[in-house]
Amino acid sequence: MALNGGGTDLVVVNGPSRLTGTVHVSGAKNSVLKLMTAALLAEGRSTISNVPDIQDVWIMADLLRRLGCGVVYDDVRATVAIDVPEQLHYQADYDLVRAMRASISVLGPLIARCRIAEVALPGGDAIGSRGLDMHRSGLERMGAKITIDHGYLRARVPGELYGARHNLDFPSVGATENLMMAATLATGTTVIENAAREPEITDIAHMLLSMGARIEGIGTGTLTIDGVDRLEPTVHQVVPDRIVAGTWAFAAAVTGGTIDIQDANHGHLGVVLDKLTQAGCLIDVHSNGFTITGPERPHPINVSTLPYPGFPTDLQPFVVALNSIASGSGMVTENVFEARWGFTAELARLGAIVRLDGHHALVSGIRRLSGAPVVASDIRAGAALVIAAMVADGVTEVTGVGHIDRGYEGFVEQLQTLGGGIERKPVGGEWDPAV
Ligand code: UD1
């Protein structure tokens, strides 16, 4: 069971450590949360396997229960069974939605099934404004009437939900998913141009296919969905988490260790592994993942984040951490979330030299960071700070650990297994994820 209420815990890192050993990668957070909402599209029991034991899954399970579903997690088999009733409730309340932006992905399925949805406006990671305009205008084009009041997005479909042509301003992951899910039960054909192509979207599309949906162009920037009258429940296995795999790869790169990353799909990390090779890492791909050995001191790397198959924004904080100890300066450009730099002020507390200019960060490497108290502000920033702390002299205390628990299964325990000088200290008290 995930660590609930551990959000006010702190982790204490005693550096430096060289991380060496084996890790197993779980199913992808950014896929399973949407697969769980996709289950809403069919009455009956859908079962999802390779489910990670993380807080966001528990939040989504609670949200689905509020919508009237029975949700049972089997931690031995890592499966979640979702029993979807004929009649769903259609309101997703603020207390759950504010904890996790992915809650917005109930919108498409609820509109498709109930023709009405009321979803509190989400909070989630503190990494930018994260608008919903493409979700909204896309669903309106399909016949939904949408208003926003009292902190809720309220959608209803007075007539028919019909297929439509969408040309997204930006290949938004969330908007592509909501529109694709709504379109499966709409009348007629929907075309989504400039659709996001992340492996997690491909995963959701495959689950929808197994439920009886008709989707073409999976994995490309143009999705064509022919609506059907009803979908059937299904059984589906979650794709491996490429961001978790990438996190461990950076952990080896930063600490100069060797990590065998099992149950990972290296094909989903093409540009990431190329950049790590440029940094001086040795990568050996095997049938079930890959092994990576970091250099004594990494070369700096220049990285621009982009939608898939570009460099993932979720691994950007790890690039900044790597460049902060590299043998020179590296430029990091953030093109997906405008405000994803908050953690650099924390990294600077460890001695990192980061100069920000708009969506660019110039990072000048120094030989060794030095331990200090820091605060994790989101999932990836928190994990990147912990990894940076692994190569800082002395003690680093990281608070806001609840953010890390949202996306990583047993992160601290895995670091201990790899030889990291790290322990978790319960502090107690209620954690407010929106802070
Ligand atoms: C998802 C992932 C997140 C990842 C991101 C980009 C989940 C739970 N989260 O987030 O980890 O970092 O994809 O790979 O899957 N935007 C708008 N209007 C919209 C929709 C998006 O302006 O209607 C903007 C956002 O503010 C952001 C950018 O588009 O700047 C990307 O957002 P999007 O791709 O939708 O990311 P999420 O689905 O929120």
Side-chain angles (χ1 to χ4, degrees):
M1 176 110 180
L3 286 153
N4 277 308
T8 55
D9 291 3
L10 60 85
V11 297
V12 180
V13 181
N14 225 314
S17 297
R18 194 183 286 269
L19 299 174
T20 295
T22 301
V23 292
H24 291 267
V25 173
S26 58
K29 171 182 88 73
N30 287 352
S31 189
V32 69
L33 299 174
K34 328 304 173 56
L35 297 171
M36 291 171 77
T37 69
L40 294 171
L41 289 162
E43 187 189 337
R45 170 173 291 199
S46 284
T47 305
I48 302 169
S49 61
N50 198 27
V51 174
D53 190 5
I54 53 173
Q55 283 214 353
D56 275 12
V57 167
W58 298 105
I59 296 171
M60 185 56 84
D62 277 349
L63 183 51
L64 296 187
R65 287 186 191 108
R66 295 269 188 98
L67 298 176
C69 300
V71 185
V72 177
Y73 179 73
D74 179 334
D75 59 352
V76 177
R77 292 190 175 80
T79 59
V80 64
I82 303 167
D83 284 300
V84 180
E86 185 190 350
Q87 288 288 330
L88 285 164
H89 304 305
Y90 56 82
Q91 192 168 58
D93 289 325
Y94 184 51
D95 61 327
L96 289 173
V97 173
R98 74 196 285 256
M100 186 182 67
R101 179 181 161 90
S103 311
I104 196 68
S105 63
V106 298
L107 184 61
L110 284 181
I111 288 180
R113 273 293 305 284
C114 312
R115 302 296 194 253
I116 183 164
E118 296 184 354
V119 182
L121 294 171
D125 292 349
I127 56 173
S129 62
R130 304 184 90 167
L132 293 175
D133 52 310
M134 286 182 262
H135 300 246
R136 179 177 180 168
S137 61
L139 291 168
E140 283 177 337
R141 213 167 293 121
M142 297 172 78
K145 302 282 176 220
I146 297 183
T147 55
I148 290 182
D149 57 57
H150 303 291
Y152 275 82
L153 186 151
R154 298 179 205 276
R156 75 195 156 77
V157 186
E160 232 179 342
L161 184 71
Y162 43 81
R165 201 172 182 91
H166 308 280
N167 205 332
L168 301 184
D169 295 348
F170 179 90
S172 155
V173 169
T176 301
E177 290 164 348
N178 257 330
L179 297 177
M180 175 171 72
M181 290 194 280
T184 58
L185 290 176
T187 305
T189 302
T190 296
V191 178
I192 309 174
E193 299 276 13
N194 201 23
R197 293 185 278 158
E198 272 66 4
E200 295 76 26
I201 292 182
T202 297
D203 198 26
I204 298 158
H206 282 134
M207 169 156 160
L208 294 170
L209 283 184
S210 74
M211 296 169 81
R214 294 172 58 194
I215 306 175
E216 283 177 15
I218 295 171
T220 76
T222 303
L223 292 169
T224 304
I225 303 122
D226 284 316
V228 295
D229 288 340
R230 58 178 284 126
L231 295 174
E232 300 299 329
T234 192
V235 174
H236 184 83
Q237 180 174 337
V238 186
V239 71
D241 198 317
R242 67 197 161 97
I243 305 301
V244 169
T247 298
W248 293 122
F250 273 93
V254 170
T255 66
T258 297
I259 304 183
D260 183 17
I261 303 169
Q262 298 266 348
D263 306 326
N265 184 337
H266 72 93
H268 293 162
L269 286 165
V271 66
V272 175
L273 299 186
D274 285 352
K275 288 289 173 187
L276 286 167
T277 304
Q278 283 173 25
C281 296
L282 296 174
I283 296 165
D284 178 26
V285 171
H286 54 71
S287 59
N288 190 32
F290 59 97
T291 304
I292 174 165
T293 300
E296 248 344 280
R297 188 177 182 194
H299 306 302
I301 47 176
N302 297 321
V303 166
S304 288
T305 67
L306 283 172
Y308 189 83
F311 194 98
T313 174
D314 286 351
L315 291 177
Q316 177 261 96
F318 303 94
V319 179
V320 177
L322 178 134
N323 280 343
S324 72
I325 51 140
S327 56
S329 298
M331 178 70 88
V332 186
T333 302
E334 176 54 62
N335 293 310
V336 180
F337 289 111
E338 75 279 15
R340 199 164 200 167
W341 296 126
F343 74 99
T344 59
E346 299 301 307
L347 206 56
R349 292 181 48 72
L350 302 182
I353 302 172
V354 184
R355 186 146 18 108
L356 296 177
D357 184 3
H359 60 139
H360 304 290
L362 181 66
V363 190
S364 307
I366 57 172
R367 267 197 182 278
R368 188 74 93 196
L369 300 173
S370 64
V374 291
V375 181
S377 56
D378 73 62
I379 303 176
R380 311 302 168 190
L385 282 169
V386 170
I387 285 168
M390 288 286 156
V391 286
D393 287 323
V395 174
T396 298
E397 287 187 356
V398 185
T399 46
V401 175
H403 286 290
I404 303 176
D405 295 334
R406 285 187 48 201
Y408 291 91
E409 226 178 49
F411 191 59
V412 172
E413 293 76 7
Q414 296 218 54
L415 285 165
Q416 286 169 339
T417 308
L418 295 173
I422 182 167
E423 60 178 322
R424 185 177 182 118
K425 293 205 166 153
V427 173
E430 278 291 299
W431 180 54
D432 184 347
V435 172

Short mmCIF file of all heavy atoms in Angstrom, two decimals, residues 175 204 210 226 324 342:
data_model
loop_
_atom_site.label_atom_id
_atom_site.label_comp_id
_atom_site.label_asym_id
_atom_site.label_seq_id
_atom_site.Cartn_x
_atom_site.Cartn_y
_atom_site.Cartn_z
N ALA A 175 -5.35 16.93 -23.44
CA ALA A 175 -6.44 17.24 -24.37
C ALA A 175 -6.61 16.10 -25.38
O ALA A 175 -7.73 15.69 -25.69
CB ALA A 175 -6.18 18.56 -25.09
N ILE A 204 -3.20 3.97 -23.95
CA ILE A 204 -4.63 4.18 -23.73
C ILE A 204 -5.42 3.77 -24.98
O ILE A 204 -6.46 3.11 -24.90
CB ILE A 204 -4.91 5.67 -23.38
CG1 ILE A 204 -4.19 6.03 -22.08
CG2 ILE A 204 -6.41 5.93 -23.25
CD1 ILE A 204 -3.96 7.52 -21.92
N SER A 210 -9.19 -2.58 -27.30
CA SER A 210 -9.59 -3.88 -26.72
C SER A 210 -10.99 -3.79 -26.11
O SER A 210 -11.62 -4.81 -25.85
CB SER A 210 -8.57 -4.36 -25.69
OG SER A 210 -8.69 -3.59 -24.51
N ASP A 226 -13.75 6.42 -35.02
CA ASP A 226 -15.15 6.25 -35.42
C ASP A 226 -15.93 5.83 -34.19
O ASP A 226 -15.64 4.79 -33.59
CB ASP A 226 -15.26 5.16 -36.50
CG ASP A 226 -14.81 5.68 -37.86
OD1 ASP A 226 -15.20 6.81 -38.21
OD2 ASP A 226 -14.05 4.96 -38.54
N SER A 324 24.80 20.47 -13.33
CA SER A 324 25.32 21.25 -12.19
C SER A 324 26.65 20.70 -11.68
O SER A 324 27.38 21.41 -11.00
CB SER A 324 24.28 21.33 -11.06
OG SER A 324 24.17 20.09 -10.43
N GLY A 342 11.20 26.36 -10.73
CA GLY A 342 11.18 26.64 -9.29
C GLY A 342 12.26 25.89 -8.52
O GLY A 342 12.89 26.44 -7.62
#
